[in-house]
Amino acid sequence: MEMTPMMQQYMAIKEQHPDEILFFRMGDFYEMFLDDAVTASRELGLTLTSRSGDVKKNPMCGIPYHAAESYITKIVNKGYKVAIAEQIGDPKAKGLTKREVIKVITPGTILEESALQSANNNYIALVYETDEKVVLSGADISTGECFYGVYTGDDRLQALYDELYRIMMPELIILGEPSFLGDLKAFIDMRMAACAFTRIEEPVKNVDDLIIQHFDVNNRPAGRSASEAVATMLGYLHDTVRTDLSHLSQMTKLDFANNLVIDTYTLRNLEITRNLRDGGKKDTLLDVLDFTDTAMGTRLLKKWLEYPLINIGQINQRLDAVEELSSDFILRGELKTSTKSIYDFERLLTRIEVGSANARDMVALRTSFMALPAIKNLLEGRKSQLLQKCHEGIHLYEDFVNLLNRAIVDAPGLTIRDGGIIKEGYNEELDEYRKISRDGKQLLQEMEEKEKEATGIRTLKIGYNKVFGYYIEVRHSGTELVPDHYVRKQTLANAERYITQELKEFETKILGAEEKIVNIEYNLFMEIRDTIKAKLGDIQETAKHIAVLDVLTGLAEAASAYNYVRPQLLNNGQIDIKDGRHPLVERILTRDLFVPNDTRLNHTECEIMLITGPNMAGKSTYMRQTALLTLMAQVGSFIPAREATISPVDRIFTRIGASDDLVSGQSTFMVEMNEVAQILKYATRDSLVILDEIGRGTSTFDGMSIARAVIEHIREHIHSKTLFATHYHEVTDLEDDLIKNYCIAVKEKGKDISFLRRIIPGSADKSYGIHVARLAGLPKAVTQRAEKILEALEAEGSRAEDIPLTKKQEKAKAVAEPNDMMASLFGNSISDELLGMDVMTMTPIEAMNTLYRLQQQAKEEAGRG
């Protein structure tokens, strides 16, 4: 098929971007063709058309360029990549307009404000396997963050998966051909189905150049494989974003030596930053503690919750600041009032860096700068080290405030190419052209009145559009009065448009001024942006300290609002909590009071709490509570308790609840055993382990055996502080100097029971399962029958043959018994003969004859011969 020059140009560009949907600029539209058009029409709800008239052979669709952002956001959020091909030649020049791709937008590189959730990072990550090491590198170009981690040893893949689940990136780059590629894809499909994959065959060639370009000598990744991973990621970002990325200059190494490790299971089970229902923030620990006033603060709080500390000195620095703020209501209120005026510094600065900032961003920046002096003054002379560091790290930008006050209008438009963004009085040349433009509008009004008088056409009006310029519009009813020197320019449904020589001369003069105004404003804006860009690193430092202050103030507000107390941090291996409360559940309970409970775990008196009691009584809530309070303390937060002494733990493990992993084909029991295996493999003496109802996914004796063996293994080999809830009362005989029995207090009155939600020493003597079934609304006949069966089993030593029969079962048994008796009375001779046969020495014909004879004999004995 012969293609037009334009389609040849399209196909040449598309060949360079086969994996992206190509947005091909044509005038005021972005057009898509062929397979891209089919995909875009399906995902964006666009109508397919065709220049040739055959939609099936030559499909195309398009979107207005001024509305492209919303369409791009929608399709990128579905995991697609978009290449933007712009007209870079003069559209008015003869011949084919030159076009080329100016940027590629992917899920991990999108910068449109509407596409980014302010409280979440938008990470892109890269995985690279080399020399029995797995390297993870990542960045959020919207905030300027970069990180890398190197994982070795037998648990390297689990550590990698845990980190990927934490960062929850929308795009993952796979460098090379990792040996675990299949498992990695299965994990991504199961935990983050919206993640897009990008494959890169080998590291970039200019590794050292990219590392030196972005990071100073103190910020560079350690080791060649880490440098290759980081540089390849940076190379990909340069190839896609195609703009200045020098704001990616601070490198963080992921090193869990300084952090409490939270694996994927624990992060999910405890609902720390994402709930189990839909993965959202609602009803999570983050939701409860989030009193931050800035997007930067919310993102930092999320990081603190996912990476708690283990160093007591660092934890106490945070607690000191929270205590100082929580005890000063006036200071806290004034800080929050000022902080609320601060926009998302990090993303504002990124838009300035990459050249996508508009005048509204500058207004937001000015408002943010104006809030800083009050905050700095409020932090003057504070006692805690972190507040002192915030005071020192927050810089003032009075020169920028003055510049932006003089230059940018208070309510600018969205685009910087249409003018209307620079204030009067800022630039003399701009003011002169504006005067011409204003005078021109007056002249235009006078010209319209003059033409009305001269022609007698009262409905005549002078208008303007970008396509035809200025024109005189006359309704069809008045065309008979149109003078001969009017030249027809356009015919409309109910009017005609004309041009005159005088109007042409006016257009040249006025449009020259309008064009000059727009160009001058654009250039002035670029100068202002570049002036601020020169101090980007300094402003980024201020943004970081504002985020820290916001989190500390928010934690203090939570402590005050919820009546939290400061935990005491010690290194004696003890967790001692008095009247602890579950931070999430107590917020949800609006009508009932939450029943507080104590927890005392150590390596001398109670290493394992063995908790028995009925379901629904609160065992799981209590265990989660202990884990969450420990985690909150290590974050640097006050906690819901009367008092608490906590020794930092190195890891928190949880095995809670039942869930099928259907995507990977694993049953509830297999998921449970996988989680238990992880715990027994990696838990240490300094870990906190939460195990809930181990073994219930299999038979009673299997499950009880597994539960007992797990407890014994932890007791004899690991010695981690452990909360172990079980409905197998038989394991309570394990109580010794380090294993202590506890149960949920229950109040009984006849067949009615009340769960008191209180943890007390001792073991439960009943499971109360039938009581719970009754509360759940099972039919009365079912629960009554269950009670009879339970009584028989308890009385007869759990023999199945002692279970009382129902009336239907008794009737069926009476009918069946005569036949059963007959079979036992008359079947002995046949049985004796069968037992005496040597089957292995019989020929086939002998076997057939014998079987026929035995059948005849059986018929005679049964009276059927």
Side-chain angles (χ1 to χ4, degrees):
M1 181 184 72
E2 188 174 340
M3 290 189 290
T4 64
M6 188 275 294
M7 279 305 294
Q8 289 175 4
Q9 184 187 58
Y10 172 85
M11 295 304 295
I13 297 175
K14 179 62 185 175
E15 190 175 347
Q16 298 171 7
H17 296 274
D19 299 327
E20 291 89 42
I21 295 175
L22 182 59
F23 278 37
F24 192 75
R25 181 69 178 270
M26 296 179 67
D28 289 340
F29 283 80
Y30 285 116
E31 300 288 356
M32 286 141 277
F33 299 93
L34 306 176
D35 290 344
D36 283 358
V38 174
T39 301
S41 68
R42 181 183 67 246
E43 299 295 347
L44 298 175
L46 304 175
T47 301
L48 281 176
T49 60
S50 175
R51 288 176 179 244
S52 66
D54 190 341
V55 174
K56 291 185 178 180
K57 285 187 178 180
N58 301 296
M60 63 178 287
C61 63
I63 57 172
Y65 85 96
H66 58 80
E69 182 178 317
S70 61
Y71 288 102
I72 291 170
T73 297
K74 184 176 181 181
I75 202 162
V76 169
N77 282 342
K78 292 187 175 187
Y80 293 94
K81 302 175 185 178
V82 174
I84 307 294
E86 286 288 359
Q87 299 172 170
I88 61 171
D90 183 0
K92 297 178 182 178
K94 289 185 178 180
L96 185 65
T97 303
K98 187 177 180 182
R99 295 175 177 86
E100 66 179 39
V101 171
I102 61 164
K103 61 181 174 180
V104 177
I105 303 171
T106 72
T109 62
I110 193 166
L111 286 170
E112 278 70 15
E113 188 174 2
S114 59
L116 301 172
Q117 298 180 25
S118 61
N120 294 326
N121 284 97
N122 193 63
Y123 288 116
I124 184 168
L126 178 146
V127 170
Y128 180 37
E129 183 183 36
T130 176
D131 301 329
E132 295 189 352
K133 289 186 292 190
V134 178
V135 182
L136 172 69
S137 65
D140 181 348
I141 63 171
S142 72
T143 63
E145 300 170 52
C146 286
F147 63 85
Y148 80 96
V150 180
Y151 307 104
T152 59
D154 294 340
D155 62 340
R156 60 186 181 275
L157 293 185
Q158 185 60 49
L160 170 69
Y161 296 157
D162 291 342
E163 191 58 45
L164 292 177
Y165 185 74
R166 257 188 294 274
I167 64 177
M168 198 62 70
M169 67 283 151
E171 182 177 0
L172 179 64
I173 302 168
I174 299 173
L175 177 55
E177 188 76 26
S179 61
F180 53 91
L181 183 58
D183 289 341
L184 174 62
K185 285 188 173 181
F187 176 82
I188 296 296
D189 289 343
M190 184 168 53
R191 298 296 184 210
M192 47 194 92
C195 180
F197 279 96
T198 299
R199 295 293 301 277
I200 296 179
E201 295 301 322
E202 57 185 22
V204 292
K205 304 298 183 187
N206 57 332
V207 171
D208 295 332
D209 292 341
L210 283 166
I211 296 297
I212 292 170
Q213 176 185 339
H214 281 270
F215 310 110
D216 62 37
V217 69
N218 297 317
N219 266 307
R220 292 170 190 165
R224 189 63 187 174
S225 56
S227 294
E228 288 176 339
V230 172
T232 302
M233 177 193 68
L234 291 170
Y236 176 79
L237 294 177
H238 280 284
D239 289 343
T240 53
V241 183
R242 302 192 183 194
T243 188
D244 191 354
L245 293 174
S246 55
H247 68 298
L248 297 175
S249 59
Q250 295 295 315
M251 176 60 67
T252 300
K253 182 180 180 183
L254 301 176
D255 183 1
F256 287 111
N258 298 317
N259 295 102
L260 161 62
V261 179
I262 306 172
D263 63 18
T264 301
Y265 303 117
T266 300
L267 196 61
R268 292 182 72 245
N269 288 334
L270 294 182
E271 298 184 287
I272 297 169
T273 55
R274 291 187 287 272
N275 65 47
L276 286 170
R277 184 177 62 258
D278 59 10
K281 177 184 173 185
K282 184 175 172 56
D283 297 331
T284 64
L285 183 60
L286 172 61
D287 189 28
V288 169
L289 295 180
D290 189 8
F291 281 82
T292 57
D293 293 304
T294 70
M296 301 175 296
T298 304
R299 288 194 296 268
L300 183 61
L301 174 60
K302 183 173 182 287
K303 285 190 183 71
W304 282 17
L305 290 172
E306 292 177 343
Y307 301 92
L309 303 171
I310 58 174
N311 182 280
I312 289 179
Q314 293 176 332
I315 298 170
N316 276 326
Q317 278 191 10
R318 292 181 182 177
L319 290 171
D320 289 343
V322 173
E323 183 171 32
E324 186 170 1
L325 291 166
S326 64
S327 63
D328 193 330
F329 171 78
I330 295 175
L331 169 65
R332 194 171 70 248
E334 291 179 343
L335 281 173
K336 288 184 71 65
T337 298
S338 296
T339 308
K340 284 176 182 175
S341 303
I342 294 179
Y343 287 79
D344 195 342
F345 256 140
E346 292 173 334
R347 286 182 172 157
L348 283 174
L349 297 176
T350 295
R351 290 199 288 276
I352 291 172
E353 178 71 31
V354 302
S356 64
N358 58 31
R360 291 186 183 181
D361 291 329
M362 293 302 176
V363 172
L365 198 62
R366 179 181 66 195
T367 303
S368 302
F369 284 155
M370 291 172 67
L372 298 179
I375 294 173
K376 195 169 179 72
N377 288 336
L378 288 168
L379 294 176
E380 183 83 42
R382 294 301 152 192
K383 296 177 182 178
S384 58
Q385 288 185 29
L386 276 186
L387 294 184
Q388 291 172 12
K389 287 180 181 177
C390 288
H391 176 263
E392 295 166 7
I394 294 173
H395 304 146
L396 305 182
Y397 306 95
E398 293 177 359
D399 52 343
F400 287 161
V401 171
N402 292 332
L403 172 63
L404 294 171
N405 266 330
R406 288 188 298 110
I408 306 296
V409 299
D410 293 333
L414 275 174
T415 175
I416 60 175
R417 293 189 177 272
D418 291 341
I421 59 177
I422 302 296
K423 278 185 177 180
E424 294 275 352
Y426 178 71
N427 181 271
E428 188 175 338
E429 183 184 14
L430 177 62
D431 290 346
E432 288 178 5
Y433 279 106
R434 280 178 170 164
K435 187 174 186 300
I436 294 172
S437 177
R438 279 196 299 271
D439 291 346
K441 289 176 182 176
Q442 179 64 33
L443 288 172
L444 193 68
Q445 184 65 37
E446 292 173 1
M447 187 185 298
E448 184 178 296
E449 291 300 322
K450 185 182 74 171
E451 292 297 325
K452 285 180 180 179
E453 289 294 329
T455 61
I457 306 171
R458 306 312 301 169
T459 59
L460 178 150
K461 65 179 181 180
I462 298 177
Y464 170 81
N465 67 33
K466 290 183 179 180
V467 177
F468 294 104
Y470 285 94
Y471 55 83
I472 297 172
E473 184 172 295
V474 179
R475 291 181 178 274
H476 289 321
S477 60
T479 54
E480 293 180 358
L481 300 175
V482 171
D484 292 340
H485 66 279
Y486 275 33
V487 179
R488 183 180 281 107
K489 198 170 186 179
Q490 186 185 16
T491 300
L492 303 179
N494 58 356
E496 299 284 345
R497 288 177 176 175
Y498 302 89
I499 189 72
T500 66
Q501 185 62 34
E502 183 184 8
L503 192 57
K504 277 185 181 180
E505 292 172 0
F506 172 83
E507 181 178 79
T508 301
K509 180 181 177 182
I510 197 71
L511 288 184
E514 294 282 0
E515 189 175 336
K516 278 284 187 182
I517 289 169
V518 170
N519 288 337
I520 291 171
E521 287 204 52
Y522 178 78
N523 290 330
L524 290 173
F525 182 83
M526 292 297 104
E527 289 176 10
I528 294 166
R529 192 189 70 189
D530 290 343
T531 301
I532 294 172
K533 186 176 175 180
K535 293 196 73 173
L536 216 60
D538 186 87
I539 303 172
Q540 282 179 322
E541 193 65 24
T542 294
K544 289 178 183 177
H545 285 95
I546 288 293
V548 170
L549 177 64
D550 192 20
V551 174
L552 293 171
T553 307
L555 290 176
E557 187 71 18
S560 175
Y562 300 150
N563 193 29
Y564 290 176
V565 300
R566 176 174 181 165
Q568 183 182 5
L569 277 298
L570 296 176
N571 257 333
N572 62 0
Q574 180 169 294
I575 294 177
D576 193 354
I577 301 170
K578 299 289 196 313
D579 288 340
R581 313 186 305 275
H582 193 295
L584 278 66
V585 176
E586 77 165 347
R587 301 267 61 81
I588 296 170
L589 290 177
T590 54
R591 296 183 179 179
D592 301 324
L593 287 174
F594 185 89
V595 178
N597 274 296
D598 297 346
T599 302
R600 185 175 177 81
L601 288 165
N602 53 53
H603 296 298
T604 56
E605 299 170 347
C606 181
E607 212 165 54
I608 300 175
M609 289 180 66
L610 197 54
I611 306 167
T612 51
N615 293 326
M616 284 182 59
K619 299 195 301 294
S620 294
T621 298
Y622 170 72
M623 294 194 299
R624 284 185 172 97
Q625 167 185 310
T626 302
L628 286 171
L629 298 195
T630 303
L631 181 142
M632 287 172 67
Q634 293 186 228
V635 164
S637 169
F638 282 25
I639 66 173
R642 179 163 53 85
E643 62 178 88
T645 301
I646 292 175
S647 295
V649 298
D650 62 355
R651 301 187 68 149
I652 294 177
F653 293 96
T654 61
R655 159 76 283 256
I656 296 172
S659 60
D660 283 323
D661 211 336
L662 298 177
V663 175
S664 63
Q666 294 186 352
S667 66
T668 300
F669 184 60
M670 179 57 80
V671 172
E672 177 184 317
M673 290 299 101
N674 280 338
E675 293 182 16
V676 173
Q678 287 291 114
I679 293 170
L680 299 184
K681 188 174 182 181
Y682 299 117
T684 72
R685 179 182 175 86
D686 295 322
S687 301
L688 174 62
V689 175
I690 307 298
L691 292 168
D692 186 15
E693 304 289 11
I694 296 301
R696 64 181 170 185
T698 184
S699 69
T700 300
F701 291 122
D702 271 2
M704 185 172 63
S705 302
I706 292 170
R708 189 181 189 100
V710 168
I711 297 170
E712 291 173 352
H713 184 83
I714 294 173
R715 167 68 173 83
E716 295 170 11
H717 300 287
I718 301 176
H719 294 284
S720 55
K721 292 181 281 289
T722 304
L723 300 176
F724 194 108
T726 182
H727 62 284
Y728 297 124
H729 304 140
E730 294 83 354
V731 301
T732 57
D733 65 353
L734 287 171
E735 185 171 36
D736 60 14
D737 55 332
L738 290 179
I739 300 176
K740 302 300 180 186
N741 285 326
Y742 286 84
C743 64
I744 304 291
V746 176
K747 181 179 180 182
E748 291 189 66
K749 188 175 181 181
K751 290 188 177 182
D752 295 326
I753 59 168
S754 298
F755 301 135
L756 303 182
R757 314 285 179 187
R758 194 77 178 173
I759 299 290
I760 58 174
S763 59
D765 56 353
K766 297 180 182 178
S767 67
Y768 298 96
I770 296 173
H771 296 275
V772 173
R774 189 181 296 113
L775 290 173
L778 260 68
K780 188 175 181 180
V782 173
T783 55
Q784 288 176 342
R785 171 65 179 159
E787 285 173 347
K788 288 183 178 180
I789 295 172
L790 179 62
E791 288 172 5
L793 290 174
E794 289 177 342
E796 299 293 336
S798 300
R799 292 184 305 170
E801 57 265 32
D802 295 314
I803 296 175
L805 302 176
T806 63
K807 290 182 179 179
K808 278 190 176 181
Q809 289 170 336
E810 288 174 352
K811 188 175 181 181
K813 184 178 180 182
V815 172
E817 277 179 353
N819 289 333
D820 293 342
M821 289 175 63
M822 189 173 289
S824 64
L825 286 173
F826 296 103
N828 289 341
S829 60
I830 296 174
S831 298
D832 292 341
E833 186 170 352
L834 283 169
L835 289 171
M837 287 181 185
D838 186 2
V839 177
M840 300 305 294
T841 63
M842 296 175 72
T843 65
I845 192 64
E846 288 176 338
M848 289 179 66
N849 289 332
T850 302
L851 182 59
Y852 177 79
R853 181 172 50 78
L854 290 174
Q855 184 185 52
Q856 293 301 113
Q857 184 178 340
K859 285 181 179 180
E860 290 177 2
E861 291 179 351
R864 299 179 186 177

Short mmCIF file of all heavy atoms in Angstrom, two decimals, residues 798-820:
data_model
loop_
_atom_site.label_atom_id
_atom_site.label_comp_id
_atom_site.label_asym_id
_atom_site.label_seq_id
_atom_site.Cartn_x
_atom_site.Cartn_y
_atom_site.Cartn_z
N SER A 798 -14.35 -39.16 72.93
CA SER A 798 -14.16 -38.74 71.53
C SER A 798 -14.18 -39.90 70.55
O SER A 798 -13.39 -39.94 69.61
CB SER A 798 -12.85 -37.95 71.37
OG SER A 798 -12.88 -36.81 72.18
N ARG A 799 -15.08 -40.91 70.73
CA ARG A 799 -15.21 -41.98 69.73
C ARG A 799 -16.36 -41.67 68.80
O ARG A 799 -17.47 -41.38 69.24
CB ARG A 799 -15.46 -43.32 70.44
CG ARG A 799 -14.26 -43.81 71.25
CD ARG A 799 -14.54 -45.18 71.84
NE ARG A 799 -15.78 -45.16 72.62
CZ ARG A 799 -16.37 -46.25 73.09
NH1 ARG A 799 -15.86 -47.45 72.82
NH2 ARG A 799 -17.47 -46.16 73.80
N ALA A 800 -16.13 -41.78 67.52
CA ALA A 800 -17.15 -41.42 66.53
C ALA A 800 -18.39 -42.32 66.65
O ALA A 800 -19.51 -41.86 66.43
CB ALA A 800 -16.57 -41.52 65.12
N GLU A 801 -18.18 -43.60 67.04
CA GLU A 801 -19.32 -44.53 67.11
C GLU A 801 -20.27 -44.20 68.26
O GLU A 801 -21.38 -44.72 68.34
CB GLU A 801 -18.84 -45.99 67.22
CG GLU A 801 -17.94 -46.25 68.41
CD GLU A 801 -16.47 -46.15 68.04
OE1 GLU A 801 -16.15 -45.35 67.14
OE2 GLU A 801 -15.66 -46.85 68.66
N ASP A 802 -19.82 -43.33 69.17
CA ASP A 802 -20.66 -42.97 70.31
C ASP A 802 -21.52 -41.73 70.05
O ASP A 802 -22.25 -41.29 70.94
CB ASP A 802 -19.81 -42.74 71.56
CG ASP A 802 -19.12 -44.04 72.01
OD1 ASP A 802 -19.81 -45.07 72.04
OD2 ASP A 802 -17.91 -44.00 72.30
N ILE A 803 -21.41 -41.18 68.87
CA ILE A 803 -22.21 -39.99 68.55
C ILE A 803 -23.67 -40.41 68.44
O ILE A 803 -24.00 -41.35 67.72
CB ILE A 803 -21.74 -39.36 67.22
CG1 ILE A 803 -20.30 -38.85 67.37
CG2 ILE A 803 -22.68 -38.23 66.79
CD1 ILE A 803 -19.72 -38.33 66.07
N PRO A 804 -24.59 -39.76 69.16
CA PRO A 804 -26.01 -40.13 69.10
C PRO A 804 -26.56 -39.90 67.69
O PRO A 804 -26.20 -38.96 67.00
CB PRO A 804 -26.67 -39.17 70.12
CG PRO A 804 -25.73 -38.01 70.22
CD PRO A 804 -24.36 -38.59 70.05
N LEU A 805 -27.48 -40.85 67.30
CA LEU A 805 -28.05 -40.77 65.95
C LEU A 805 -29.29 -39.88 65.94
O LEU A 805 -29.99 -39.76 66.95
CB LEU A 805 -28.43 -42.16 65.46
CG LEU A 805 -27.30 -43.20 65.39
CD1 LEU A 805 -27.87 -44.55 64.97
CD2 LEU A 805 -26.21 -42.76 64.44
N THR A 806 -29.55 -39.28 64.79
CA THR A 806 -30.82 -38.57 64.62
C THR A 806 -31.91 -39.60 64.36
O THR A 806 -31.63 -40.79 64.12
CB THR A 806 -30.74 -37.60 63.43
OG1 THR A 806 -30.53 -38.36 62.24
CG2 THR A 806 -29.59 -36.60 63.59
N LYS A 807 -33.17 -39.17 64.36
CA LYS A 807 -34.29 -40.10 64.13
C LYS A 807 -34.21 -40.73 62.74
O LYS A 807 -34.49 -41.91 62.56
CB LYS A 807 -35.62 -39.35 64.29
CG LYS A 807 -35.91 -38.97 65.74
CD LYS A 807 -37.24 -38.27 65.87
CE LYS A 807 -37.54 -37.93 67.33
NZ LYS A 807 -38.83 -37.22 67.49
N LYS A 808 -33.84 -39.94 61.75
CA LYS A 808 -33.71 -40.47 60.39
C LYS A 808 -32.61 -41.51 60.32
O LYS A 808 -32.74 -42.56 59.67
CB LYS A 808 -33.42 -39.35 59.40
CG LYS A 808 -34.65 -38.58 58.95
CD LYS A 808 -34.30 -37.66 57.79
CE LYS A 808 -35.56 -36.97 57.28
NZ LYS A 808 -35.27 -36.09 56.13
N GLN A 809 -31.49 -41.25 61.02
CA GLN A 809 -30.37 -42.19 61.02
C GLN A 809 -30.77 -43.49 61.71
O GLN A 809 -30.41 -44.59 61.27
CB GLN A 809 -29.16 -41.57 61.70
CG GLN A 809 -28.50 -40.47 60.87
CD GLN A 809 -27.45 -39.71 61.65
OE1 GLN A 809 -27.49 -39.67 62.88
NE2 GLN A 809 -26.50 -39.12 60.94
N GLU A 810 -31.55 -43.41 62.82
CA GLU A 810 -31.98 -44.61 63.54
C GLU A 810 -32.90 -45.46 62.67
O GLU A 810 -32.79 -46.69 62.63
CB GLU A 810 -32.69 -44.21 64.84
CG GLU A 810 -31.73 -43.65 65.89
CD GLU A 810 -32.49 -43.13 67.10
OE1 GLU A 810 -33.74 -43.06 67.04
OE2 GLU A 810 -31.82 -42.79 68.10
N LYS A 811 -33.81 -44.79 61.95
CA LYS A 811 -34.74 -45.51 61.07
C LYS A 811 -33.99 -46.22 59.94
O LYS A 811 -34.26 -47.37 59.62
CB LYS A 811 -35.75 -44.52 60.49
CG LYS A 811 -36.88 -45.17 59.71
CD LYS A 811 -37.90 -44.14 59.27
CE LYS A 811 -39.03 -44.80 58.50
NZ LYS A 811 -40.02 -43.80 58.04
N ALA A 812 -33.03 -45.51 59.35
CA ALA A 812 -32.25 -46.11 58.26
C ALA A 812 -31.44 -47.28 58.75
O ALA A 812 -31.28 -48.29 58.06
CB ALA A 812 -31.32 -45.04 57.66
N LYS A 813 -30.95 -47.18 59.97
CA LYS A 813 -30.14 -48.26 60.53
C LYS A 813 -31.00 -49.51 60.77
O LYS A 813 -30.58 -50.64 60.51
CB LYS A 813 -29.49 -47.80 61.84
CG LYS A 813 -28.55 -48.84 62.44
CD LYS A 813 -27.90 -48.31 63.71
CE LYS A 813 -26.98 -49.36 64.30
NZ LYS A 813 -26.36 -48.89 65.56
N ALA A 814 -32.26 -49.29 61.25
CA ALA A 814 -33.16 -50.42 61.52
C ALA A 814 -33.47 -51.18 60.24
O ALA A 814 -33.58 -52.40 60.23
CB ALA A 814 -34.43 -49.91 62.18
N VAL A 815 -33.66 -50.48 59.15
CA VAL A 815 -33.96 -51.12 57.87
C VAL A 815 -32.74 -51.89 57.36
O VAL A 815 -32.84 -52.97 56.79
CB VAL A 815 -34.39 -50.06 56.83
CG1 VAL A 815 -34.51 -50.69 55.45
CG2 VAL A 815 -35.71 -49.44 57.26
N ALA A 816 -31.56 -51.32 57.57
CA ALA A 816 -30.34 -51.92 57.02
C ALA A 816 -29.86 -53.12 57.82
O ALA A 816 -29.21 -54.00 57.28
CB ALA A 816 -29.23 -50.86 56.97
N GLU A 817 -30.21 -53.22 59.11
CA GLU A 817 -29.63 -54.25 59.97
C GLU A 817 -29.93 -55.68 59.53
O GLU A 817 -29.03 -56.52 59.55
CB GLU A 817 -30.07 -54.03 61.41
CG GLU A 817 -29.19 -52.99 62.09
CD GLU A 817 -29.63 -52.73 63.52
OE1 GLU A 817 -30.70 -53.25 63.91
OE2 GLU A 817 -28.92 -52.01 64.22
N PRO A 818 -31.16 -56.05 59.07
CA PRO A 818 -31.40 -57.47 58.66
C PRO A 818 -30.48 -57.90 57.53
O PRO A 818 -29.93 -58.99 57.54
CB PRO A 818 -32.86 -57.46 58.22
CG PRO A 818 -33.47 -56.33 58.98
CD PRO A 818 -32.42 -55.29 59.07
N ASN A 819 -30.34 -57.08 56.54
CA ASN A 819 -29.44 -57.42 55.44
C ASN A 819 -28.02 -57.58 55.93
O ASN A 819 -27.28 -58.46 55.47
CB ASN A 819 -29.50 -56.34 54.36
CG ASN A 819 -30.84 -56.39 53.62
OD1 ASN A 819 -31.46 -57.45 53.57
ND2 ASN A 819 -31.27 -55.25 53.09
N ASP A 820 -27.61 -56.68 56.85
CA ASP A 820 -26.25 -56.78 57.37
C ASP A 820 -26.06 -58.11 58.13
O ASP A 820 -25.02 -58.75 58.01
CB ASP A 820 -25.97 -55.61 58.32
CG ASP A 820 -25.95 -54.28 57.56
OD1 ASP A 820 -25.79 -54.33 56.32
OD2 ASP A 820 -26.09 -53.23 58.20
#
